[in-house]
Amino acid sequence: MFISRFRVNTARSGARRLLSSPQTLHAAVMSSFPGILPSDRAAPDAPRVLWRLDHRSRAEVLLYIVGPDRPDLTHLVEQAGWPAAAGPANPGWQTRPYAPFLDRLAAGDRWAFRLTANPVHTVRRKEGEPRKITAHLTPTHQMGWLLDERRQQRLGFRVCEKPAERRLLPEGTTHRKHPHPGDRYELTVGDTRSLSFTKSRGPENRQSGPVTVATATFEGRLEITDPDALRRALTQGIGRARAYGCGLLTLAPLARPTPRTP
């Protein structure tokens, strides 16, 4: 496994075209892996490729990719990077082996995390109707989706709770009747988006109906409870819409507290 980072040159027209369509960007990401043929992608045992866009600012957009092989992002550099600045020492992206990091994950370790996901649930509007997949649209429900105990158990981590002195209320909620989990946990939800695009299918790229994917980006702190389960989550993804930039969880060391001046 390898993890890669590519900075998008948002001033280029090719970058704007890629950023405007999750399906187009997905195709560009998959083209980075010459060993994965288009005919193999729909197979049940096809290698999993995950990607995520981090919009740090209007001029700073980072593309993260996790895949089974070392990717070749030359075409992305040419379309949406800085090709004139690329060279043997700096091809325009960074790639590192993922296995050494995955191997050292241990139960009890705490990490900062970031995840863009498609939080959904199933609802039945009328008696007798089949259940329908519906997106969570409010931060409270989106947090509840990630904080679900069974989901966290499957993923091999738990979101850390805030110390009592950092909570706004003793119980960590903002309303008695409608508890909000955000004040209790080291978790925030931001960069919510509704991605709408037309999906192409078949070898002739026939257009099907419009597709809408609601996404939310979670940031916070987690504690590892099951390293093997967490490794699966890091390499296989979390939730739905993984072909459209959802499901990639990344970890980073926790920032050390700044020592107080006596």
Side-chain angles (χ1 to χ4, degrees):
M1 300 294 295
F2 292 85
I3 183 167
S4 303
R5 186 180 71 172
F6 170 76
R7 184 184 172 193
V8 180
N9 185 349
T10 56
R12 304 195 64 182
S13 59
R16 293 192 291 271
R17 182 178 65 85
L18 290 171
L19 295 176
S20 66
S21 171
Q23 188 176 26
T24 301
L25 184 51
H26 170 68
V29 169
M30 295 305 297
S31 297
S32 305
F33 297 90
I36 304 177
L37 299 176
S39 57
D40 296 335
R41 297 173 189 172
D45 58 346
R48 173 67 65 182
V49 175
L50 303 171
W51 60 273
R52 186 184 77 219
L53 282 173
D54 284 0
H55 296 260
R56 305 286 179 86
S57 67
R58 181 175 296 181
E60 186 178 359
V61 179
L62 301 177
L63 170 65
Y64 289 89
I65 303 173
V66 169
D69 305 308
R70 187 181 292 272
D72 181 354
L73 305 184
T74 304
H75 61 296
L76 285 177
V77 175
E78 293 172 348
Q79 296 178 55
W82 286 265
N90 179 22
W93 72 91
Q94 300 85 41
T95 296
R96 294 182 179 179
Y98 210 16
F101 172 77
L102 297 174
D103 291 342
R104 70 172 185 261
L105 297 176
D109 289 352
R110 293 192 171 195
W111 295 85
F113 74 89
R114 186 178 179 93
L115 165 71
T116 295
N118 172 224
V120 298
H121 63 131
T122 58
V123 296
R124 181 182 290 115
R125 296 182 179 179
K126 295 181 181 179
E127 187 66 28
E129 287 187 352
R131 301 183 71 87
K132 183 180 179 181
I133 296 174
T134 305
H136 287 302
L137 299 178
T138 66
T140 300
H141 291 108
Q142 290 166 343
M143 285 186 178
W145 175 86
L146 185 61
L147 292 169
D148 179 78
E149 291 185 6
R150 289 180 294 180
R151 175 170 286 106
Q152 291 191 74
Q153 186 177 11
R154 290 196 306 270
L155 298 175
F157 68 81
R158 67 174 185 87
V159 177
C160 299
E161 295 190 16
K162 290 181 180 179
E165 63 271 15
R166 290 179 50 205
R167 299 179 185 178
L168 298 178
L169 293 175
E171 298 300 322
T173 62
T174 55
H175 198 285
R176 292 181 179 179
K177 293 184 178 180
H178 305 287
H180 189 298
D183 187 47
R184 179 179 174 184
Y185 295 93
E186 299 277 8
L187 179 65
T188 60
V189 177
D191 197 19
T192 56
R193 296 171 181 264
S194 181
L195 309 176
S196 299
F197 55 97
T198 301
K199 187 175 181 180
S200 300
R201 292 181 176 177
E204 299 179 358
N205 288 329
R206 295 180 179 177
Q207 303 293 310
S208 62
V211 177
T212 301
V213 177
T215 70
T217 298
F218 300 90
E219 291 187 89
R221 298 183 177 188
L222 61 79
E223 180 178 321
I224 300 175
T225 57
D226 184 340
D228 289 335
L230 180 57
R231 291 184 190 102
R232 287 193 298 271
L234 290 167
T235 56
Q236 298 299 311
I238 297 172
R240 300 171 62 88
R242 283 174 277 187
Y244 304 122
C246 296
L248 175 54
L249 173 71
T250 53
L251 306 181
L254 292 174
R256 295 182 179 180
T258 303
R260 295 183 179 180
T261 304

